[in-house]
């Protein structure tokens, strides 16, 4: 990597560059990005719902979520491994999807046993929650500016397989029980942006024929995954009647996450982001949908579209 210029000063050593990028990537998920009013509301809401974050209050699963909380079976594991991208770069443990795809069934049964122990205990190994971030230059950007690089996070493929299995189950549960708002089309099977474009076009044409105006307001969430309010997601999971193993595992999945930045052979100090979901996690899009699921409820007398 070439010399980075920061505040007019050249940064040349790999370790100094790694620390600089770690500072930048850590700040992206900081509470300092929120307004003081939001942070105050956030703190109050967390205090009022503090009982939800006690794992002992979440172990009993209701009838409606009992199947959601069952042990995983070999078919679920094989499906998750089969659908994984073989060209993905592995995490710190160097275990790749290609390696997992070539394992015999006897070895998969051992991995499945590990997953089910983690599932029942609701405690994910810390190594699974640690990511190695590699800065990659954005197209047509200056080589010497730190902001020209985007983070690519390398995490354990073993963990990603389990995340896929949890995601598939949770997605099925939410779709079957109509837990996600019908105006949301992002990251959902057989839905896309085309649905929302057609809906908008239809509304415009209808208003033209009735000689009325159409006013559109478009909102884009900046740092949507990086600034995801973790405990806010847990509160909404409870409102969706998610409990037992699923809730406990997701609660542990969202907390105590760490990362280091690698530049060359140098690694930064370990950092812990305050907010957000892991980059590249199969679960991150679904958790974001859950976070904004009740957004349309606060908008009255208007047509809503989410993507």
């Amino acid at each position: 990597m070439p010399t980075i210029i920061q505040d007019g000063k050249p940064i040349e050593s790999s370790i100094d560059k790694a620390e600089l990028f770690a500072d930048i990537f850590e700040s992206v998920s900081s509470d300092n990005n929120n307004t003081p009013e939001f942070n105050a509301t956030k703190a109050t809401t967390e205090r009022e719902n503090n009982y939800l974050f006690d794992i002992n209050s979440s172990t009993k699963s209701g009838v409606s979520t009992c199947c959601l909380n069952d042990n995983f079976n070999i078919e679920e594991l094989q499906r998750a491994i089969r659908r994984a991208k073989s060209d993905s770069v592995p995490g710190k443990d160097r275990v790749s999807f290609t390696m997992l795809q070539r394992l015999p069934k006897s070895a998969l049964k051992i991995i499945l046993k590990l997953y089910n122990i983690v599932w029942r205990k609701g405690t994910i190994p810390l190594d699974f929650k640690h990511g190695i971030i590699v800065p990659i230059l954005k197209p047509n950007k200056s080589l010497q500016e730190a902001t020209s690089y985007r983070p690519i996070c390398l995490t354990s493929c073993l963990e990603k397989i389990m995340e896929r299995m949890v995601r598939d189950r949770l997605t099925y549960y939410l779709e079957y029980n109509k837990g996600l708002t019908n105006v949301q089309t992002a990251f959902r099977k057989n839905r896309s942006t085309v649905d929302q474009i057609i809906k908008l076009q239809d509304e415009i044409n209808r208003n033209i024929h009735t000689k009325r105006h159409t006013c559109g307001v478009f909102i884009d969430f900046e740092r949507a995954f990086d600034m995801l309010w973790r405990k806010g997601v847990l509160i909404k999971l409870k409102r969706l009647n998610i409990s037992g193993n699923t809730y406990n595992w997701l609660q542990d999945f969202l907390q105590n996450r760490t990362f280091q930045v690698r530049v060359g052979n140098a690694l930064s100090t370990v950092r812990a982001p305050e907010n957000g979901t892991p980059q590249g996690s199969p679960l991150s899009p679904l958790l974001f949908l859950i976070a904004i699921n009740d957004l349309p409820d606060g908008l009255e007398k208007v047509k809503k579209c989410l993507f």
Side-chain angles (χ1 to χ4, degrees):
M1 179 180 289
T3 300
I4 301 295
I5 305 298
Q6 183 71 7
D7 298 327
K9 299 179 181 179
I11 299 177
E12 298 180 347
S13 72
S14 294
I15 186 62
D16 289 340
K17 293 174 188 175
E19 290 295 340
L20 171 63
F21 283 116
D23 289 339
I24 293 173
F25 298 150
E26 186 179 28
S27 68
V28 168
S29 64
S30 171
D31 278 336
N32 293 330
N33 295 316
N34 295 326
T35 63
E37 293 79 11
F38 179 79
N39 280 332
T41 301
K42 180 180 176 182
T44 300
T45 304
E46 290 181 0
R47 270 196 313 272
E48 292 173 349
N49 294 275
N50 194 52
Y51 67 97
L52 296 178
F53 313 130
D54 179 6
I55 192 170
N56 294 322
S57 69
S58 308
T59 53
K60 185 177 180 181
S61 61
V63 175
S64 61
T65 58
C66 62
C67 296
L68 188 62
N69 294 319
D70 287 347
N71 281 347
F72 292 100
N73 57 53
I74 193 69
E75 288 77 19
E76 289 176 287
L77 175 57
Q78 290 175 320
R79 182 167 57 248
I81 292 177
R82 188 168 57 249
R83 291 164 58 190
K85 295 181 179 179
S86 57
D87 59 347
S88 295
V89 181
K92 188 177 180 180
D93 56 18
R94 309 304 299 168
V95 177
S96 67
F97 287 135
T98 300
M99 294 168 63
L100 295 174
Q101 289 166 346
R102 294 179 179 177
L103 288 176
K105 192 171 183 178
S106 58
L108 293 181
K109 288 181 178 179
I110 296 174
I111 294 175
L112 181 63
K113 184 177 180 180
L114 168 65
Y115 285 162
N116 282 326
I117 291 173
V118 172
W119 185 240
R120 291 191 298 270
K121 289 187 175 182
T123 304
I124 303 171
L126 291 178
D127 283 350
F128 280 5
K129 298 194 286 184
H130 183 70
I132 301 297
I133 292 181
V134 179
I136 301 296
L137 183 67
K138 299 175 185 177
N140 304 316
K141 295 292 184 178
S142 170
L143 293 168
Q144 295 187 315
E145 294 182 16
T147 54
S148 298
Y149 294 80
R150 62 186 178 92
I152 297 297
C153 189
L154 310 180
T155 54
S156 170
C157 291
L158 279 167
E159 167 62 9
K160 285 184 179 179
I161 292 297
M162 188 169 191
E163 290 170 19
R164 284 177 182 275
M165 294 194 297
V166 176
R167 180 203 60 188
D168 290 347
R169 274 196 185 182
L170 186 55
T171 298
Y172 176 81
Y173 172 82
L174 292 174
E175 295 289 0
Y176 182 81
N177 291 283
K178 296 180 171 56
L180 295 177
T181 174
N182 196 45
V183 302
Q184 176 64 263
T185 63
F187 308 113
R188 298 179 72 180
K189 191 174 181 179
N190 299 323
R191 301 192 185 205
S192 69
T193 48
V194 175
D195 299 320
Q196 307 296 33
I197 293 172
I198 292 174
K199 185 176 180 181
L200 176 59
Q201 182 186 40
D202 180 66
E203 186 68 21
I204 292 172
N205 288 335
R206 189 175 303 174
N207 288 339
I208 288 175
H209 292 146
T210 56
K211 297 183 179 180
R212 292 186 297 179
H213 296 287
T214 302
C215 177
V217 178
F218 297 84
I219 301 174
D220 182 21
F221 293 101
E222 186 179 12
R223 300 172 180 174
F225 289 1
D226 294 320
M227 285 301 297
L228 189 71
W229 177 17
R230 296 170 180 172
K231 289 189 175 180
V233 172
L234 294 174
I235 293 170
K236 293 183 179 184
L237 283 168
K238 275 296 185 179
R239 291 175 183 171
L240 291 167
N241 200 30
I242 306 299
S243 60
N245 293 340
T246 306
Y247 181 89
N248 295 336
W249 188 92
L250 286 169
Q251 181 177 7
D252 193 72
F253 169 78
L254 288 170
Q255 66 185 5
N256 299 323
R257 303 206 67 93
T258 57
F259 73 87
Q260 290 174 280
V261 175
R262 186 177 71 202
V263 175
N265 294 321
L267 284 173
S268 72
T269 52
V270 177
R271 307 299 181 94
E274 288 184 278
N275 297 286
T277 56
Q279 185 200 64
S281 168
L283 270 166
S284 291
L286 180 58
L287 293 177
F288 178 71
L289 295 192
I290 292 170
I292 64 171
N293 194 50
D294 57 354
L295 179 61
D297 298 341
L299 302 172
E300 299 180 354
K301 299 180 180 179
V302 294
K303 301 287 180 67
K304 284 98 59 175
C305 296
L306 287 177
F307 182 85

